[in-house]
Amino acid sequence: MGHEQRASVREHALAAELVHRIEEEHRLAREARSVPAAVGRHRITRCREDNAEALGAMVAGHGWPTSEMVGEPASTAALMILLHASDLGFQLTCRDLIAEAVADGTCPAVHHAYIADHCAVELDQPQFYGTRINPHTLHPYPVRRPGTVDERRHDVGLGPLSDHLRALRGGLGATGEL
């Protein structure tokens, strides 16, 4: 088997593992609705810890799993795992790797938007794209230069923030305006 074939097999295996891991987390989240709350939270927390550990090993061995490397569904699964990881240092490292991948055209810009906003909120800084919403108020956490947020959102393929908030609040039965 040649080098390119081995790389393709390895990348396919990474992709399958990433998708499987996020599917397992979603299954546990659905299952958590029918078990005692503490049990459900414990299972999800353990799954997220295991997922983050596996993603860390992948990143250490192969770099960020870009859309070009593992396909967009698996790269999106990696982003979801990263967003649920508890290690901010790891998230910051991956944020920078994702920024490089976006600049190289190997990863969707929206992936960087989500991790950049996540890290900003965790660091008590204003976010850039308004992707992080306070679950208690259904308003975005503070946004840097809010007057131009929709331009930045458009640049990464996101719709206007007001449309997102309206859909979010409507889906939860909440009311309120921006």
Side-chain angles (χ1 to χ4, degrees):
M1 186 181 302
H3 174 71
E4 284 185 30
Q5 285 179 311
R6 280 192 306 272
S8 177
V9 168
R10 180 183 62 241
E11 291 164 357
H12 180 73
L14 291 173
E17 181 178 353
L18 288 164
V19 170
H20 171 75
R21 286 181 172 282
I22 206 64
E23 287 173 349
E24 177 66 8
E25 182 179 325
H26 290 155
R27 184 188 68 76
L28 289 172
R30 285 188 307 272
E31 199 176 86
R33 296 181 193 123
S34 62
V35 298
V39 171
R41 279 193 306 272
H42 174 74
R43 288 178 182 166
I44 292 169
T45 298
R46 182 70 197 153
C47 177
R48 288 178 174 173
E49 289 169 357
D50 291 346
N51 287 351
E53 186 177 316
L55 180 61
M58 286 179 196
V59 170
H62 309 287
W64 179 255
T66 64
S67 296
E68 183 177 89
M69 179 194 303
V70 296
E72 196 158 333
S75 187
T76 299
L79 175 67
M80 293 170 71
I81 290 168
L82 180 63
L83 290 169
H84 293 151
S86 61
D87 182 348
L88 180 58
F90 176 59
Q91 291 172 326
L92 290 166
T93 297
C94 290
R95 176 199 63 189
D96 296 344
L97 294 173
I98 293 168
E100 291 173 15
V102 169
D104 291 343
T106 60
C107 200
V110 71
H111 287 194
H112 183 257
Y114 279 103
I115 191 60
D117 277 0
H118 177 85
C119 290
V121 169
E122 293 301 309
L123 292 167
D124 290 325
Q125 298 172 351
Q127 56 182 325
F128 297 91
Y129 303 95
T131 63
R132 288 285 308 272
I133 307 298
N134 183 319
H136 304 292
T137 66
L138 296 182
H139 287 280
Y141 288 100
V143 175
R144 182 181 317 258
R145 295 189 354 249
T148 58
V149 68
D150 284 338
E151 292 171 33
R152 291 188 301 278
R153 289 175 64 86
H154 179 268
D155 288 347
V156 298
L158 293 169
L161 182 56
S162 60
D163 291 354
H164 175 68
L165 293 173
R166 193 171 10 268
L168 177 68
R169 291 172 182 152
L172 296 175
T175 60
E177 294 298 317
L178 268 175

